[in-house]
Structures are given as C-alpha cells and as structure tokens.
Amino acid sequence: MSAESVFGRLEPLLPQVSKPVQYVGGELNASAKAWDDTTVRWCLMYPDAYEVGLPNQGVMILYEILNELPDVLAERTYAVWPDLEALMREHGIPQFTVDAHRPVGAFDVLGVSFATELGYTNLLNALDLAGIPLHAVDRTEEHPVVLAGGHAAFNPEPVADFLDAAVLGDGEQAVLEVTEAIRRWKDEGRPGGRDELLLRLAESGGVYVPKFYDVDYGADGTIEAVRPNRERVPHRVFKRTTMELDEWPYPKQPLVPLAESVHERMSVEIFRGCTRGCRFCQAGMITRPVRERSPEGIGQMVQQGLEATGFEEVGLLSLSSADHSEIQDITKGLADRYEGTNTGLSLPSTRVDAFNIDLANELSRNGRRSGLTFAPEGGSERIRRVINKMVSEQDLIRTVSAAFGNGWRQVKLYFMCGLPTETDEDVLQIAEMAKEVIRAGREVSGRKDIRCTISIGGFVPKPHTPFQWAGQTDPDTIDDRLRKLREAVNSDRKLGRNIGMRYHDGKPSMIEGLLSRGDRRLGRVVERVWREGGRFDGWNEHFSYQRWVDCAAAELAPLGVDLAWFTTRERGEHEVLPWDHLDSGLDKEWLWADWQDALEAREQDDCRWTPCSELGRGGLHPRRQFRVHRALAVERAGHGRGR
C-alpha cells in the first residue's frame, strides 16, 4: 500500500464534520519523520476518540520511545466519529494517522492499546477502513501486524480472531524487542513470510500469537484445554515488567492536544503497581510488583514536561499516588519549586488511610483548592472486607472532618454496586455514610454549604483477580438497588439536598463483563455487533445494550452458551479459564484462596509493609502475592523504600 498522505482528499471533507481540528495533527511535540529514512514503521492506536486517546500515557510513552530510534517511525491514529466515517467510506479515504495522514494499512505494525473491552468494535471499524482483513488468518505479509496491549490484553481471547499478537504488561522494552525482530526479519529478506515473523515473536515467550494456540471445548461449554500447535511456541506467555522506572523517564515531550481533551494537564507516573490487594482491581493485580520513581527523577520529569508543554497543572499519577513512600517530600519539593507560579499539583482519587491535611495543603498551595476524592468502594464494613478495601467509616469521617475543618467544602466518594455477596443493605449504607459526611462537615466548619457527591459504577469481574470466578450481578438488580439508594439519600431533605448522586447504567457493565471474561467464541458476537452498527460502545449515546443482547443470542445459541453463561454464572475452582495460559505473575491457587477469603469476608494484609517471603509456589504459603522468582525484582524496585 502507498504511504502517501491522504490529507489532500481529507481536507475538503473536514468542514462537514464535528470537531475537525482533531484530525489535522501538528500538535506541539508531535514527531514528523520521512518514511523512506526508516526501516520499521509503527502506527499506534488508542481505539477511542481523539479527546480520550491523545492524553493516554501508554500510547504517548511508546510513541516517544519508538521515535527516538533513528530508523524507526511511529505515528498515531484514533477512532473517527461516525460523521467522518461515512464521508471516508463515500470518498474512499482509508483510516489515516494524524501525524502525516498516511494510510494505516501501509505500516509494519498497528499497535492497539486497550484500556477497556468496550473499544473492540472501534478496532474492527479501523481495520475495515484501513483495508486490513478483519481476520488475522486472511492477512499476508503486505498487511501490518495487529498487536494488542493494555490491560484488556491480559485476556485477548474475545478478539483473538482479529489480532496477530498481544503483549502482556509493560510496553517500554517490549516494543523495542518487537521492533528489532521486525528489523532483522526484513534485513534477512522476510524469510518464511508472515508466519515466520510471528513465530519469532512468539518463541520469545513474551508475545502471545493466538493463531498458534488451539482451544478445545467440552460438551458443557467449558474449555478443556488450550494447546500450542507449533513446536517453537511456549505453553505459557509471560508478562513484561519494566523494573527501573527512572531509566524510562517518558514522556519527556508530552503531546499538547489541539482539540479539547479529557485531561488538560501534564502527567507524571510516580510509581507503577500496587500491593493493597483490592480484590476487584485488575490493575492492582496485574501491575505488580510496586516500582517507584525517585523524587529526583519525578522532579526532573515535571520540570522538563512543563517547559515542553506550557501546561499549568501536573498530575502525579499511579493507582494510589499517596502510597508513594516519599510522597510528602515529593509534593513539598514541587510546591516549593513552583511557589508563586500558576502551576498546580493534583493526585487521582486518594485512599482515606493515605491522606493527610499536610499533603492536601501542599497540593493546593500553588493552585485552586478543589474538592477531595476518596474511594471507599463499598458502603458497609462487611462488603469492604469482602473486597479487601479496609477503610472504616470512622477513618473516613475523621479524614473528611479534618479537611472540612481546614477549609474544604466538598468531597466526592466513589463506590461500586453489584459486588460479590452484596445485599440491598450493603448499598443502602452508602446513603448513611454520605449523610455522616455532611453532618461531620457542618459540625467542624460551622457552615451549611458542605457538599458530598457519591459516584457509583457497576462492578465487573476481571481476569487475574480473586473475583475472576464470581457471578456478575444482572443490570436489573443493580438498577433496583440504586433506586432504593436514591430514595434513602432523599429521605432526609435537610441532608439529602447536599448529597449529589451519579451512577452509571448497569447495562454497559454487563457487556464489559461479557467481553472481559469471554473466550474466542465471542469474536463472532463482536463482529456481528460491529456489522450492525456498533461503534463507540464506551459512550452512552452510541451504546446499544439491545444490539449486544440480540447479537449474542444469535451467535452463541448454536454453540450451546449464552450471555448469562459468560456473565452471571459463577465459575468452579478447576474450570479452565480462557486466560489461564497467559501468565500475569499471580498463582491461580493463590487467587482461588483469596476468593474463598472474600466469600468469608476475611481481609488480607498489605504486602507493601509486611514480609513477602511466603510466596505461593514450591510448597510455600499460597496467600502471598508474588512468585519466588519475583522477590528479588521487588527488592530491586525499592519495595518498602524508606520504611
């Protein structure tokens, strides 16, 4: 396929579409390279709209790492809105990159980062627009290698038919190794064609190639076995882990969006991983072990990023940023450095037991004092034991009281509905907690304008977590519990009028659950949904629950399974799960033991501050997080630094 720019044909169409600036490229810090000066060419895709995809840290990091190599080119593409899609199909314009508007089908690799399974139909749409065969088996060496990454890649089976390969875990070193394999294969004259390239990637043990694995199903619909069908292919594929984050200070030159985006700030990932052990949290499980950036490394990244972008807010990102062992020194140092400027600091939602007023004051010293956000996740103490989120109501009230007493006026609390073993009473306790927050705030501040917003999402069981065996709660039950919760909030008008309630429809969560724990049989469902108009399923205005239900019924019935089989059904201990051959670094036996603890409402200790020597294989205790061969890596990463 020609690599010439399609912008000449695209530009006349842009006045006819919404937000045309998102398609023109040329952002500050974007990279522009000559096609003929490079050997390996990557197209990186975040399968959502530009405003969501551009700020994505994962894509931004890989984009910069690849473009630092002199003979490698990386460009970006995002999902196009339906208005432009229709015009592209009418005028024969293929899926293009925003950097140089080259056809996506001309690249060597299409690397797709999946943060959520609801982006699958957008991938199929991009492949079709690019002229790339939907099914991997139909591609030749003239087509890009379609390579998936991101959290959803830890179970890529529902889209295995459409992927050539997937990488589990961190991508920094993985993309360099994939690049080197492609470079060498090209230099050797492309021996063995596409299959040989994929075999070379697969035999490394760190790249999963679905076509090299066969799946056998039993009469009851469960998987009997997943077996390699080539001698050079390993039985299990391992997760990639970038250990020394200070050696990878990316992005150094963050992209600055031309159009409005979901995050208008410069972000620095201050550590990766989590040891809290929240049983619902896939990200916390699959990103272990904890690896911290040094305060010096963080400071350098912040300074360089601000100089390169002109942003006035810095997000200090991680799964639980206040858990960094030197967070006080980091925030104070940054607040001191940028005092008197307009530069503000922010953390994502903070654990109640990691928050203190000194930290909050440092964060707000140079910026506006915004609301505080905490995530108790469950309304009752019992359900918080089930999910291993050990935050007591007393801890929360003590924390918000200190905040309200120091001038804050609003707090946001995140919860989930539909958790394993959940009852109506567990959910109704959310209303009581919110009312206590208002009472405490009024008492310590002497003011009536205290606000509390409760935000509630539907729980989705995820692979590689203790809840991977759980039955998902159906949307009708979730909606009924949330209706009762709203009534409970409004039962006391004097308090309820200061409590906001935001919740997500349970139906998208059900489809996310279908795709999250599905197997290869779901590929036909995803394809049918796309063919019947499915696009942007993560957006309420585009998502159609009925379309997914109807397509699942039509495609799964001949196979003897259905939507409920993949979602609301509880799995057994010895059932082969679709992702069992993909190694996240966690023992299945340990996860099962933790699932049993959850059912009995028994909490686990935080591995960050307790000994992690009993690890889960070779006769050791099964209820610790990491394998023996991970222990040294944990220590090298500064596990428990400064404690």
Side-chain angles (χ1 to χ4, degrees), residues 271 274 276 292 320-325 327 351 354 608-609:
F271 73 87
C274 183
R276 291 285 189 166
E292 293 186 343
S320 182
S321 295
D323 281 346
H324 192 292
S325 59
I327 189 63
R351 288 185 63 101
R608 180 182 267 256
W609 314 126

Side-chain angles (χ1 to χ4, degrees), residues 13-23 81-84 87:
L13 306 180
L14 294 182
Q16 304 176 51
V17 303
S18 62
K19 300 181 182 179
V21 69
Q22 66 186 304
Y23 304 116
W81 285 112
D83 56 357
L84 181 59
L87 291 170

Side-chain angles (χ1 to χ4, degrees), residues 185-447:
W185 175 72
K186 281 186 160 187
D187 288 345
E188 294 172 5
R190 305 175 185 242
R194 190 181 189 86
D195 262 18
E196 174 61 22
L197 172 59
L198 293 174
L199 275 169
R200 292 184 183 189
L201 295 175
E203 66 185 353
S204 70
V207 178
Y208 175 51
V209 180
K211 69 179 288 186
F212 295 150
Y213 294 80
D214 294 329
V215 182
D216 300 326
Y217 299 96
D220 62 353
T222 60
I223 295 173
E224 288 190 342
V226 179
R227 298 172 287 103
N229 55 33
R230 304 288 181 97
E231 289 185 1
R232 293 161 58 184
V233 176
H235 285 270
R236 289 176 66 79
V237 179
F238 64 83
K239 176 185 78 170
R240 308 303 301 259
T241 303
T242 300
M243 292 306 304
E244 302 294 344
L245 294 188
D246 277 342
E247 297 177 4
W248 300 88
Y250 296 92
K252 302 172 185 175
Q253 303 281 318
L255 294 166
V256 179
L258 292 178
E260 182 180 2
S261 66
V262 294
H263 297 303
E264 300 286 347
R265 67 188 180 202
M266 201 268 302
S267 299
V268 173
E269 183 185 33
I270 64 174
F271 73 87
R272 195 172 292 179
C274 183
T275 57
R276 291 285 189 166
C278 300
R279 293 172 174 132
F280 59 84
C281 183
Q282 184 190 50
M285 294 287 173
I286 63 178
T287 59
R288 296 177 177 192
V290 167
R291 293 144 286 155
E292 293 186 343
R293 291 193 197 276
S294 67
E296 297 77 20
I298 293 167
Q300 291 170 5
M301 289 185 67
V302 169
Q303 182 175 352
Q304 186 171 4
L306 289 174
E307 291 174 354
T309 62
F311 281 126
E312 294 184 342
E313 182 181 349
V314 179
L316 303 178
L317 304 185
S318 75
L319 292 175
S320 182
S321 295
D323 281 346
H324 192 292
S325 59
E326 298 178 79
I327 189 63
Q328 289 286 165
D329 292 340
I330 292 167
T331 53
K332 184 179 186 307
L334 292 173
D336 287 345
R337 177 185 297 178
Y338 298 106
E339 188 165 12
T341 71
N342 292 324
T343 302
L345 305 175
S346 65
L347 295 183
S349 63
T350 307
R351 288 185 63 101
V352 170
D353 53 356
F355 173 87
N356 62 68
I357 291 299
D358 290 340
L359 173 61
N361 283 331
E362 295 294 0
L363 291 169
S364 62
R365 196 200 309 176
N366 298 325
R368 64 183 178 88
R369 178 168 287 190
S370 58
L372 297 172
T373 302
F374 302 104
E377 307 292 1
S380 70
E381 183 177 346
R382 186 198 72 82
I383 203 69
R384 290 194 295 275
R385 287 200 304 270
V386 169
I387 65 178
N388 205 43
K389 186 88 174 190
M390 290 316 299
V391 175
S392 71
E393 185 169 336
Q394 291 75 19
D395 289 337
L396 176 66
I397 298 305
R398 185 165 49 248
T399 297
V400 298
S401 295
F404 290 137
N406 280 268
W408 272 266
R409 293 289 171 262
Q410 56 184 332
V411 65
K412 180 184 288 187
L413 304 178
Y414 282 120
F415 297 92
M416 286 184 290
C417 186
L419 291 161
T421 78
E422 180 184 275
T423 65
D424 289 1
E425 185 57 32
D426 293 315
V427 176
L428 293 176
Q429 284 296 309
I430 296 173
E432 295 308 310
M433 183 181 289
K435 290 174 184 178
E436 283 301 313
V437 166
I438 298 298
R439 291 190 188 103
R442 288 177 175 178
E443 181 178 349
V444 300
S445 69
R447 300 175 63 106

